Amino acid sequence: LLALYLADVAAYQKGWTPLLKVLHRENYFLLRLVLSDNALDSKTVKQLAQVLETNPRLEELELVRCKLGSESSILIASLPMARAIRKLNLSENGIKEIHGGHIADAPTLTDLNLSNNLISDESVVHIADQMYLNRGLIALNLSKNPFTPQARRAFNVATLENSILSWLSLQIEDNGQ
C-alpha cells in the first residue's frame, strides 16, 4: 500500500488510533496519507506527530480542512524529528501561529503548504527570520493569509538570503478592494 486516502470519513467508528498505531511500525510501507476534510482532535494530532517522528517511509501528509487551529503547532514542532516527511499540506485549517524555527530545522521537508489560514504578521516575520537556517525547504505556500505588506517584505529579504528556497507564494486574497 503506497497511498491511503481517507478524506471526509468523519463517521470512522473506532477513531484514528488503530490506523495510526499501524503507521508507527517502521516496516509499514506507506508513502502518502490523506486525511483531509476530517475534524481531527488533539489526541489524533499528537499521534500523527509521533508517526512523523517514527515512520521512516511516510513522505506526504495531507490534512486540508481538518480544523487543526492551534493543534497544528504539535505537528510543526515534530518536523525537526521527522524521519521522512517531504510534503506537508496544512491548508485551510484556521492556523494562526507558526514557529518558524521548526520549519527551518526540518531535515526532510521540501514542500509546505500553509495557504488559506489565519497566519499572523508575527508568525510570517518569524518564519522569514528563520529561513537563513533552512536546510531543505524548497517550496513554501503562505498565500491567502491575512498578513500585511510589511510581513511580505520580510520574506522578500529572506528569500534573497536563502539559496535553497526556490518557490514561495505570498499571494493575497482578492476581496474586491
Side-chain angles (χ1 to χ4, degrees):
L1 185 64
L2 297 177
L4 184 57
Y5 297 85
L6 294 172
D8 196 20
V9 290
Y12 191 59
Q13 295 296 321
K14 295 185 180 185
W16 297 104
T17 300
L19 169 69
L20 296 175
K21 280 186 179 181
V22 169
L23 292 178
H24 279 294
R25 298 183 191 144
E26 290 195 19
N27 61 351
Y28 194 79
F29 198 82
L30 181 67
L31 296 177
R32 183 167 194 226
L33 177 60
V34 178
L35 297 177
S36 297
D37 296 307
N38 290 293
L40 302 179
D41 62 13
S42 178
K43 179 182 175 184
T44 302
V45 173
K46 287 176 186 172
Q47 290 173 330
L48 279 168
Q50 291 172 347
V51 167
L52 292 181
E53 293 174 15
T54 60
N55 189 301
R57 293 183 178 92
L58 184 63
E59 295 180 359
E60 296 183 25
L61 179 59
E62 188 172 310
L63 302 173
V64 178
R65 293 177 300 280
C66 289
K67 301 179 182 176
L68 296 175
S70 63
E71 298 297 330
S72 65
S73 64
I74 297 167
L75 284 171
I76 298 294
S78 73
L79 289 175
M81 286 81 67
R83 296 188 56 194
I85 196 74
R86 289 184 310 100
K87 188 173 183 179
L88 180 60
N89 188 341
L90 299 176
S91 62
E92 300 181 55
N93 274 298
I95 299 169
K96 294 180 182 178
E97 303 297 324
I98 294 287
H99 189 280
H102 296 311
I103 295 168
D105 288 342
T108 60
L109 188 66
T110 59
D111 187 332
L112 179 60
N113 186 341
L114 294 167
S115 66
N116 290 299
N117 278 293
L118 302 170
I119 298 175
S120 66
D121 274 14
E122 184 179 330
S123 285
V124 169
V125 169
H126 191 259
I127 294 168
D129 287 346
Q130 295 298 311
M131 280 297 103
Y132 74 94
L133 297 171
N134 179 22
R135 299 187 318 194
L137 191 64
I138 296 169
L140 177 59
N141 188 346
L142 288 167
S143 65
K144 298 184 181 177
N145 278 288
F147 49 81
T148 64
Q150 291 85 353
R152 191 171 290 106
R153 279 193 284 280
F155 250 106
N156 290 339
V157 171
T159 53
L160 291 174
E161 296 173 356
N162 186 304
S163 61
I164 297 171
L165 189 66
S166 60
W167 188 87
L168 173 66
S169 178
L170 299 171
Q171 174 188 355
I172 58 172
E173 191 166 8
D174 183 13
N175 58 8
Q177 294 182 2

